[in-house]
Amino acid sequence: MLTVQDLLAVPQSDKARAEFVRTVIEEHKRSDLYKTAVVGDEYDRNQNTTITNYQKLLQSAAGELVPDTWSPNHKAASGFFSVMTTQLTQYLLANGVKWNKEDTKKALGMNFDTRLQQTAHAALVGGVSFGLWNMDHLDVFKVYDGVNKSTFAPLYDEETGALGAGVRSWQLDKTRPLRGTLYEPDGYTNFLWETGSKTPMSGAWKSVDSGIYMTDKTPYIVKTLTTKADGVVIVDGENYQNFPIIPLWGNSQHQSEIVGLREKIDAYDLILNGYANELDSAQILWVIKGAAGLSGDDNADLVKFLNELRRFGGVATGDDQEITPVALNIPHEARADLLDRLEAQMYKDAMILNPAEIAGGSATATQIRAAYEPQNVKTDQFEYCVIDFLNGILNVAGLEDEPTFTRSMIVNTQEEIQTLVTAGSYLSGEYVTGKILSLLGDGDKTSEVLAQIDGEDMDRLSGTDM
């Protein structure tokens, strides 16, 4: 594992720095962090590799195992992992971050809440994600991003354990150039490695070696000047007091949420698809009379006979042969029960709400809170990770504030409103009105409704109530 100290030991030559950055990218792709993040990313995009790569086999006439290309081989992938990561992210962050100071939200940018959700989701999938405070907005870096074909390799300080540098790389496919950016406390440097035919480079790029290019180190905060003659020109630059990339861990174990869940998801997928395959292919035992050559130790003819049945749905027989199908009963109850048990166990291990527990619309507020309790406990832990991340971003951006969150929960609206009305004599009208409107999904209209109530009260006092 390469560290900040390894970066500091690199000779200050363009070639040496380019070689080091390429080594960081290659080492990162061999790390357990990266490999697990790849698996998590695939399952998060419903590309469960175990069921996707599963191949049914048959025994050939020669006794060899060959792919079964005739019988059904369903490969439906469970979306449980995507459901879990999305549910946890949105449960905490769907309503955005609330700040004590009005200027904080404005300073962080209009799309900050969206980018924070992306960062948090990526942290659950990959174990950790990274946010770059880029002057006036947040950029999201993932350990592995299967959609954009990009990675981020962190470089930690051996003495403090803090993130002190990192390399982001991306490559659309093996025929395209590999690009990388080295982020350091005093700026960032871009690199490019050509593959295939030569790509003419221009502008800020300079040649390092055959097929390798780089730019000069650029400060994070730049001041530009636009002229008709030169276009946009950097005239000044500075950096942040702290390294502007902050890690967001998905949990206290610093590992992807796929760890420990993958095996159960795979078991669920295999059982479900195996059951579908058996239903799709008629489960029939063929009783063959007058065919002594299809029995005994030499079963090559029997294998050939069964393969022809699978391929063509029928087989030619002699006059003295009789084939009788006997339907077999597929064990339905045992598989259905096992699937239910596996699903319930996955929800339990993931510590997220199972909608089946409060389905039907008759669950009381107490039952709903009890069903949410495991998810609340897990989200409490995740919230600490998010708060640490936000504090790091605020520090880099030069802001001081304290974030709070409103969790997105299912509630028994009627029961909650009745409770508020009952307690209304002990609470302020403004508080009760705001809470009721929030339950009804109109929390942003609180000020408008309160003004309307005040106006109606004044009308009644003046005797002009319509």
Side-chain angles (χ1 to χ4, degrees):
M1 178 180 181
L2 296 172
T3 65
V4 171
Q5 280 69 23
D6 293 319
L7 172 61
L8 295 176
V10 175
Q12 291 301 305
S13 70
D14 293 344
K15 185 176 180 180
R17 286 171 62 80
E19 290 177 350
F20 177 78
V21 171
R22 186 64 182 266
T23 301
V24 171
I25 296 171
E26 293 172 351
E27 287 286 329
H28 177 62
K29 291 182 178 181
R30 289 193 288 266
S31 68
D32 291 337
L33 176 68
Y34 175 86
K35 293 176 182 178
T36 304
V38 171
V39 174
D41 180 83
E42 290 170 340
Y43 277 68
D44 191 57
R45 292 187 289 126
N46 295 346
Q47 297 180 2
N48 305 5
T49 53
T50 300
I51 192 64
T52 301
N53 297 331
Y54 177 72
Q55 176 63 59
K56 296 176 66 178
L57 300 175
L58 286 174
Q59 186 178 24
S60 68
E64 299 177 349
L65 293 178
V66 297
D68 179 2
T69 59
W70 302 287
S71 62
N73 187 17
H74 295 290
K75 295 184 178 183
S78 164
F80 178 82
F81 188 63
S82 178
V83 170
M84 186 206 82
T85 53
T86 302
Q87 185 169 322
L88 279 175
T89 302
Q90 298 306 108
Y91 182 60
L92 178 63
L93 300 173
N95 295 312
V97 186
K98 290 183 173 56
W99 304 98
N100 295 329
K101 302 176 182 178
E102 294 183 2
D103 292 341
T104 302
K105 191 174 186 67
K106 182 178 180 180
L108 292 174
M110 293 183 60
N111 65 351
F112 182 81
D113 286 329
T114 301
R115 294 293 178 89
L116 178 60
Q117 289 180 21
Q118 295 170 355
T119 312
H121 188 271
L124 294 171
V125 173
V128 64
S129 61
F130 305 87
L132 165 65
W133 180 246
N134 195 351
M135 295 182 63
D136 59 358
H137 67 277
L138 182 68
D139 288 332
V140 183
F141 296 161
K142 302 179 182 180
V143 174
Y144 170 77
D145 186 344
V147 176
N148 297 311
K149 308 301 180 184
S150 65
T151 69
F152 182 81
L155 295 173
Y156 295 102
D157 191 299
E158 296 176 15
E159 298 178 0
T160 65
L163 181 68
V167 175
R168 183 173 184 260
S169 64
W170 63 100
Q171 184 177 26
L172 295 181
D173 58 54
K174 293 182 179 179
T175 66
R176 303 295 178 178
L178 169 64
R179 297 173 181 268
T181 301
L182 171 63
Y183 293 93
E184 301 173 87
D186 59 343
Y188 63 93
T189 310
N190 295 314
F191 296 84
L192 182 145
W193 293 265
E194 290 180 341
T195 55
S197 61
K198 277 281 185 180
T199 304
M201 302 304 302
S202 61
W205 295 95
K206 59 182 179 180
S207 177
V208 174
D209 202 348
S210 177
I212 304 176
Y213 299 87
M214 68 179 290
T215 63
D216 291 329
K217 185 179 294 186
T218 305
Y220 291 103
I221 305 173
V222 296
K223 297 179 182 180
T224 61
L225 178 66
T226 304
T227 65
K228 291 184 179 180
D230 301 321
V232 179
V233 180
I234 297 176
V235 296
D236 192 11
E238 60 182 296
N239 291 297
Y240 298 101
Q241 293 184 351
N242 301 307
F243 186 53
I245 299 180
I246 310 299
L248 170 55
W249 297 99
N251 49 56
S252 60
Q253 291 78 28
H254 291 190
Q255 64 184 14
S256 169
E257 290 291 334
I258 196 64
V259 176
L261 279 177
R262 180 183 182 181
E263 292 76 12
K264 296 181 180 65
I265 295 173
D266 290 345
Y268 186 92
D269 287 347
L270 290 170
I271 293 171
L272 178 64
N273 285 280
Y275 184 44
N277 291 334
E278 290 188 1
L279 287 177
D280 206 8
S281 61
Q283 295 298 293
I284 296 175
L285 175 67
W286 297 93
V287 179
I288 307 171
K289 297 181 179 179
L294 299 183
S295 60
D297 295 333
D298 185 9
N299 63 356
D301 290 336
L302 179 59
V303 173
K304 180 180 178 182
F305 168 81
L306 293 175
N307 286 342
E308 288 182 355
L309 276 178
R310 293 188 180 97
R311 292 180 62 186
F312 307 113
V315 65
T317 63
D319 295 336
D320 57 344
Q321 292 178 334
E322 179 181 349
I323 302 176
T324 305
V326 178
L328 300 178
N329 292 325
I330 300 175
H332 165 75
E333 292 79 5
R335 296 194 183 199
D337 180 64
L338 182 55
L339 286 173
D340 289 341
R341 288 173 179 267
L342 276 173
E343 184 177 31
Q345 190 63 43
M346 286 192 293
Y347 275 105
K348 182 179 179 180
D349 290 349
M351 297 179 69
I352 62 173
L353 174 70
N354 186 348
E357 296 183 10
I358 56 175
S362 59
T364 66
T366 301
Q367 291 172 324
I368 293 174
R369 291 192 187 97
Y372 266 110
E373 190 54 28
Q375 184 162 312
N376 277 322
V377 172
K378 188 177 186 69
T379 306
D380 287 342
Q381 184 186 67
F382 186 41
E383 184 176 322
Y384 293 136
C385 298
V386 174
I387 290 175
D388 285 343
F389 172 78
L390 290 175
N391 287 337
I393 295 295
L394 292 176
N395 195 349
V396 173
L399 301 172
E400 292 185 5
D401 208 331
E402 184 176 347
T404 56
F405 309 90
T406 301
R407 298 183 181 180
S408 181
M409 297 180 62
I410 300 172
V411 297
N412 186 321
T413 305
Q414 182 177 0
E415 186 174 347
E416 294 284 347
I417 290 177
Q418 289 176 345
T419 302
L420 285 168
V421 172
T422 302
S425 59
Y426 302 97
L427 302 169
S428 69
E430 181 178 351
Y431 175 83
V432 173
T433 302
K435 293 292 288 185
I436 291 176
L437 289 174
S438 295
L439 289 170
L440 296 175
D442 293 323
D444 56 337
K445 297 182 180 179
T446 302
S447 299
E448 178 183 341
V449 172
L450 287 171
Q452 183 179 356
I453 292 174
D454 290 341
E456 291 175 352
D457 289 343
M458 290 299 296
D459 289 342
R460 281 193 290 269
L461 288 173
S462 62
T464 59
D465 185 16
M466 301 301 292

